[in-house]
Structures are given as C-alpha cells and as structure tokens.
Amino acid sequence: MVLEATMICIDNSEWMRNGDYSPTRFQAQTDAVNLICGAKTQSNPENTVGVMTMAGKGVRVLVTPTSDLGKILACMHGLEVGGECNLAAGIQVAQLALKHRQNKKQQQRIIVFVGSPVKYDKKVLEMIGRKLKKNSVALDIVNFGEEDEGKTEKLEALLAAVNNNDSSHIVHVPTGPNALSDVLISTPIFTGDGEGGSGFAAAAAAAAAGGVSGFDFGVDPNLDPELALALRVSMEEERARQEAAAKKAAEEAAKQEKGGEQQSTSQDATMTENVSAAAPEAENKTSDLMDDENALLQQALAMSMDGPAASLAVRDTDMSEAAADDQDLALALQLSVQDSTKDQGSETDMSKLLADQSFVSSILASLPGVDPNDPSVKDLLASMQSQPEASSDQKKDEDKAPNEEEKK
Amino acid sequence: MSAESASAILKNQVDLLDFVDWSGVECLNQSTSHSLANALKQGYREDEGLNLESDADEQLLIYLPFTQVIKLHSIVIKGTEDEGPKTVKLFTNREHMGFSNVNDFPPSDTAELSPDNLKGSPVVLKYVKFQNVRSLTIFVEDNQSGSDVTKIQKIVLYGTTVETTDMKGLKKIEDH
C-alpha cells in the first residue's frame, strides 16, 4: 500500500509492429499497461499513474499522473505505432513529470517498456540512473521485443545505477505463448515489492489461469472481507449440519418411529402458539434427553462452540424427520427454519431443565464469551424460569449465541 | 565573529531539535544504511561512528520542517576532516526542493565550513534572514576533499521560537 506516483513510458516505435507477441508487440504492451494501471490504483486509492510515449512524434506525455483510471485507459486508445524510441529523453521527461506531481508525499516510480534496441551508451544510461537515484525515483524496466547485442547488459547497468535498496526491478520477457501481461503479473512490478497489490494480482492471476485462485472461496479476503467471512461461516454451518444429520439419523431413527405421531400433533399445537418455534425440536429433544441427556447436551454444546448456527442445524434435522408425517406441518416447519436464526421459541419442557439454576450456570460458565455474572444473563435466567414465552421477546434482544446454548 | 561572542549569544538559544516535525523530514541522496537520523537524532548524533552519508554523489539535500515558527541563529555541522561538507547553502520556507532547482533562487545564507567548524564550532548565520522560519532546507554542495561521498556526523540547530520565548533565557544576555 505504498503511496506512489507512477509514470509509464510506452515504446510505440516501428519495432512494435512485430507479431512475435500476440497479437502485436504494441497490443501486448497496451494490455500490460492497462493491467498495471489497474493494479496501482487498486493497491492504494491515492496512487496516481501517468502515461507517456517515447517514440511516435516524439517524447510526449499523454496524461499526467492521475488516479482516474478512465482517463488513463481513454488516452491509451488510438495510439499509433511509428518513429524511433528515445529512451534517455523519455526517462528524463518522466522524471520531470513526476517532479511536478501534485501530492509531494508520493514516492516516485517510472515503469519503462523497452522493446526496441537501445542506441545509447552504457555510460549515458548509468548517468541517468544515478540522477534518478539521487532524486529517489525508482525505476522498473520491462525488457521485451528486440534482442539487441548489449541491450540486456545496458539495461542491467541502468538498473544497477538506479537501484536503491531493491526498489527498482528489471523483467525480461521472452517471446512465447504467454502474453506479456501474464508474465508481468507475477513479477514485483505488479506486486509492488511484494507487499501490497497482491489482492489484485492474485485475482488477475486467477482469471488468467482460469482456475481456482489461492483463496478458499474464490473471494479474496483483502478485497471483500465481509463476503469471505460470510462464505466461511456458511461453509462451517453446512458442515456442522451435515455432521449433525448423520449423527441424529443414526440415533433417532428408532425413537422417531415411536413418538412420531404423538409429537407431530403436539408440535402442531405449539406451532400455532409461536411461529418461530423451536418447540418441535424442543419436544424431540426433551424426550431424547430424558434418555440420554448428558451425552446429547455435550454434543450439542460442542457443536455450538464451532458455530453459532450449529444449533440451527440440529433443529433442522429434527424437524425434517418429524415432518415426514405431515405435509402441512412440513411447510410450517420450513417457514420456521427460515425464521429460526432469530429463534427464541418457547421451551415449555425445556424450562424444566433450565429451572435448575445451578445446572444452567455451570453450562454458562463453561461457555466462551458468556459471563454468568453478567446482569443481562441473570435477568434472562430469572425470566425464563417464570415465563417461558414472554421471555422469548426479551431474548431476541439479547445476544444470540448464549441463548442458543442455553436452550440445550 | 569571535568564538567568545558566538558562545555568549548561544546562551539564550535553544537546540531546535525539539521543534523539528519528524513526519515531514526528508533527505535526498542519502545512503540507506547511513541515514539522516544518524546526524540529527539525540543519541545517534553523539555517536561518532554513526554518520549521514551521501549515496550517488557528494551532494545532499536535507529538508527540515518545524512544528512552529522559529528564528535560526546558528548551526553546528560536525564531520570528518576530509569527507565533511564544505559549501552549505541554507534555504528557508521552500518546500520540496530538488537538486535541479537549488540554483534557481539565492540561498538565505551560505556557509563555507572550515575544519574548525567541522569539529563542532558553530557557524553563526545572518540572523535577520532567519526570523520567520517554518522549514529549513540544507543543501550540501560539496565536501572538503572532493570525494564522492560526503559524511556528516552531527547537525545541531540553535535558535529560538517565535511564539514561546523563554523569559528566563532572555535575562542571560550580557554582552551583545
């Protein structure tokens, strides 16, 4: 996230007509420039990028450093190939353009695309490099296109003269099937010295590779942390739900048949009382729990530790099985499932369990993030014992996670 | 100016290090391992082994903004006998100068440092030119021996602030 002003020097000389990079060298260059502009502006919104040509009619600044990506892309449009590239003048004009940047706090950087042969001496280039270093301007060189004898050597010398603490880089892009932009994405030119910009680079790389990106859900936590978090949570919920389904199916298959008819009717009654009921589940639970109370509670608690909605998963499985008997009930249950994320349903039978204050407080104490001495929790307990239904409203206002634990 | 009167005047001047706005301090052409902090910061500047060194060539451009308006009286620049700075130009209130525009306007003062100065003897400046200083730019043009690297061991600025003048300090003026 370095605050930077960048000047990109494009080589639009006659050498760029060559098609050894697809579709032409010039097109490949333009794509790369577009990508770089995007990456820079994304990594820090205050970054500015400017573009200039080194050949054509002469060294010309097309757009002075600006953070407006649209302006930059627009000026890239309609560029023509021709003339000869003037590297020395190009770099010097770039330096001048950076000197007159509006925000003096920005670091100065020049990215130069060298596609044609370099006709300057090594000495001249070294002097230019030293001048850039003196004025603390970093330089990135993209060496592609014509492979002239000594060109690589000269550019390496230029880099050595400019390089201050590894802030400047050179990239040699050989001809081949890979597009210029793809090769550049993985270089420090894009990733900005390896710290920022990785989000954009990674996304671009994923698009280029056409495959799975490095991130879990195809969403970069850097770009969209809330979405990444939501995806992660729902993934955990789903996993917990499936685990619970597997367990419950095994345990309750037998019990379900016995109490099936009876429970569905009682469920009906409680459903009419309270739409967002976890009652059916509660009824189920109480009957089960009478038999195997502690073991199931432990299980449920463990699941709820993993994710606040794990309890929801448990309820879902119970309800789905109970509903097999009754289509209308099934429909009603579906509705309640959707609402039950805010579930605070009545627990007519659960309240018996919860009436045991010491039992509840011991559960609460073992839960992370719940302080049994918290006055709101105490109020909750008191009200739950006296009025299971009225308290459901109260609980809706309370913290969700502790409530869901309590009901178990 | 004789050394005695210089030191007498110094009695009511304070070290302006406390008023330097560190967030805006810049130094062009410094070597990364030997940075400006070595010459300016308390503790580092007393250490003879830690110097500010120039990088690509012998010139240095140091920009020091201040947190309040000050009057600059004198300056101490300590360095080695051959690689210490020789010609030093001072500019007031010019932001973000570069090596290309140092010669565009006249400096507020120029100091030719003698070996004596490099040992720690202060250079008294034209006080009238430094009455209202918000920022100071120090341009080190060359060094004593003409070598490629200029080394500065310590920079101290002496002066007073404009708003908060220490009344106790004023009493000490005896000969002026």
Coordinates of all heavy atoms in Angstrom, one line a residue, chain A residues 6 23 62 78 101 103 106 111 139 150 152 162-164 179 192 195 249 257 265 270 273 286 291 306 320 332 366 403:
Chain A
T6 N 3.3 7.0 -10.4 CA 4.0 6.2 -11.4 C 3.9 6.9 -12.8 O 2.8 7.3 -13.1 CB 3.4 4.8 -11.5 OG1 3.3 4.3 -10.1 CG2 4.2 3.9 -12.3
P23 N -1.3 -10.1 -29.9 CA -1.4 -10.1 -31.4 C -0.2 -9.3 -32.0 O 0.3 -9.7 -33.0 CB -2.7 -9.4 -31.7 CG -3.0 -8.6 -30.5 CD -2.3 -9.2 -29.3
L62 N 1.1 11.7 -22.4 CA -0.3 11.6 -22.8 C -1.2 12.0 -21.7 O -2.2 12.7 -21.9 CB -0.6 10.2 -23.2 CG 0.2 9.7 -24.4 CD1 0.0 8.2 -24.7 CD2 -0.2 10.5 -25.7
G78 N -6.3 4.6 -29.4 CA -5.9 5.4 -30.6 C -4.5 5.8 -30.6 O -4.1 6.7 -31.3
R101 N 4.4 16.4 -9.6 CA 3.2 15.7 -9.2 C 2.5 16.6 -8.1 O 3.2 17.4 -7.4 CB 3.5 14.4 -8.6 CG 4.4 14.4 -7.4 CD 5.0 13.0 -7.2 NE 5.7 12.9 -5.9 CZ 6.9 13.4 -5.7 NH1 7.5 14.1 -6.7 NH2 7.5 13.3 -4.6
N103 N 0.8 15.6 -5.3 CA 0.9 15.2 -3.9 C 2.4 14.8 -3.7 O 2.9 13.8 -4.1 CB 0.1 14.0 -3.6 CG 0.1 13.5 -2.2 OD1 0.9 14.0 -1.4 ND2 -0.6 12.5 -1.9
Q106 N 4.0 11.4 -2.4 CA 4.0 10.1 -3.1 C 5.4 9.8 -3.5 O 6.2 10.6 -3.9 CB 3.2 10.2 -4.4 CG 1.7 10.3 -4.2 CD 0.9 10.7 -5.4 OE1 1.4 11.5 -6.2 NE2 -0.2 10.1 -5.6
I111 N 8.0 3.3 -14.9 CA 8.0 2.0 -15.5 C 8.2 2.2 -16.9 O 7.4 2.8 -17.6 CB 6.7 1.2 -15.2 CG1 6.4 1.2 -13.8 CG2 6.7 -0.2 -15.8 CD1 5.1 0.5 -13.4
L139 N 12.9 2.8 -10.6 CA 12.7 2.5 -12.0 C 12.4 1.0 -12.2 O 13.2 0.2 -11.7 CB 14.0 2.9 -12.7 CG 14.0 2.7 -14.2 CD1 13.0 3.6 -14.9 CD2 15.4 3.0 -14.8
G150 N 24.0 -6.5 -26.4 CA 24.4 -5.4 -25.4 C 23.2 -4.8 -24.8 O 23.3 -4.0 -23.8
T152 N 20.6 -6.1 -23.1 CA 20.4 -6.6 -21.8 C 21.4 -6.0 -20.8 O 21.1 -5.6 -19.7 CB 20.4 -8.1 -21.8 OG1 19.7 -8.6 -22.8 CG2 19.9 -8.7 -20.5
V162 N 20.4 2.8 -10.8 CA 19.2 3.4 -10.1 C 18.9 2.7 -8.8 O 18.4 3.3 -7.9 CB 18.0 3.2 -11.0 CG1 16.7 3.6 -10.3 CG2 18.1 4.1 -12.3
N163 N 19.1 1.4 -8.8 CA 18.6 0.6 -7.7 C 19.0 1.1 -6.3 O 20.2 1.2 -6.0 CB 19.0 -0.9 -7.9 CG 18.0 -1.8 -7.1 OD1 17.1 -1.3 -6.4 ND2 18.2 -3.1 -7.3
N164 N 18.1 1.4 -5.5 CA 18.3 1.8 -4.1 C 17.5 0.9 -3.2 O 16.3 1.0 -3.1 CB 17.9 3.2 -4.0 CG 18.3 3.7 -2.6 OD1 18.9 3.0 -1.8 ND2 17.8 4.9 -2.3
A179 N 1.2 -14.3 -22.8 CA 1.1 -12.9 -23.0 C 2.0 -12.1 -22.1 O 2.3 -12.5 -21.0 CB -0.4 -12.5 -22.8
G192 N 4.3 -4.9 -6.4 CA 4.7 -3.7 -5.7 C 5.7 -4.1 -4.6 O 5.4 -3.9 -3.4
E195 N 4.5 -6.5 -1.3 CA 3.7 -6.3 -0.1 C 2.2 -6.0 -0.5 O 1.4 -6.9 -0.3 CB 4.2 -5.2 0.9 CG 5.1 -4.2 0.2 CD 4.3 -3.0 -0.5 OE1 3.2 -3.3 -1.0 OE2 4.8 -1.9 -0.4
A249 N -29.5 -39.0 12.6 CA -30.2 -40.0 11.8 C -30.0 -41.4 12.4 O -30.9 -42.2 12.6 CB -29.7 -40.0 10.3
E257 N -39.7 -43.2 15.3 CA -40.9 -44.0 14.9 C -41.9 -44.1 16.0 O -43.1 -44.0 15.8 CB -40.5 -45.4 14.5 CG -39.9 -45.4 13.1 CD -39.2 -46.7 12.7 OE1 -39.1 -47.6 13.6 OE2 -38.8 -46.8 11.6
T265 N -48.5 -34.0 16.5 CA -49.7 -33.3 16.9 C -49.3 -32.3 18.0 O -49.8 -31.1 17.9 CB -50.7 -34.3 17.6 OG1 -50.1 -35.2 18.4 CG2 -51.5 -35.0 16.5
T270 N -48.0 -26.4 19.4 CA -47.0 -25.3 19.8 C -46.7 -24.4 18.6 O -46.4 -23.3 18.8 CB -45.7 -26.0 20.3 OG1 -45.4 -27.0 19.3 CG2 -45.9 -26.6 21.6
E273 N -49.0 -21.5 18.5 CA -48.7 -20.5 19.5 C -47.6 -19.6 19.1 O -47.7 -18.4 19.2 CB -48.2 -21.2 20.8 CG -49.2 -21.9 21.6 CD -48.5 -22.6 22.8 OE1 -47.4 -22.2 23.1 OE2 -49.1 -23.6 23.2
T286 N -36.5 -33.0 24.4 CA -36.7 -33.4 25.8 C -36.9 -34.9 25.9 O -36.4 -35.5 26.8 CB -37.9 -32.7 26.4 OG1 -39.0 -32.7 25.4 CG2 -37.6 -31.2 26.7
D291 N -33.7 -39.7 28.0 CA -33.0 -40.9 28.0 C -31.4 -40.7 28.0 O -30.8 -41.4 28.8 CB -33.2 -41.6 26.6 CG -34.7 -41.9 26.5 OD1 -35.4 -42.1 27.5 OD2 -35.2 -42.0 25.3
D306 N -18.5 -24.6 17.8 CA -17.9 -24.4 16.5 C -18.6 -23.3 15.8 O -17.9 -22.5 15.1 CB -18.2 -25.7 15.6 CG -17.3 -26.8 16.1 OD1 -16.3 -26.5 16.8 OD2 -17.6 -27.9 15.8
S320 N -37.0 -32.0 10.1 CA -37.2 -32.6 8.8 C -37.7 -34.1 9.0 O -38.6 -34.5 8.2 CB -35.9 -32.6 8.0 OG -34.9 -33.3 8.7
A332 N -45.0 -25.7 7.4 CA -44.8 -24.7 8.5 C -43.4 -24.8 9.1 O -42.8 -23.8 9.4 CB -45.9 -25.1 9.6
S366 N -19.1 -22.6 31.4 CA -18.2 -23.3 30.6 C -18.1 -22.8 29.2 O -17.3 -23.1 28.4 CB -18.5 -24.8 30.5 OG -19.8 -24.9 29.8
N403 N -27.9 -17.5 24.1 CA -29.2 -18.0 24.2 C -29.4 -19.4 23.6 O -30.0 -20.3 24.1 CB -30.2 -17.1 23.4 CG -30.4 -15.8 24.2 OD1 -30.2 -15.8 25.4 ND2 -30.7 -14.7 23.6

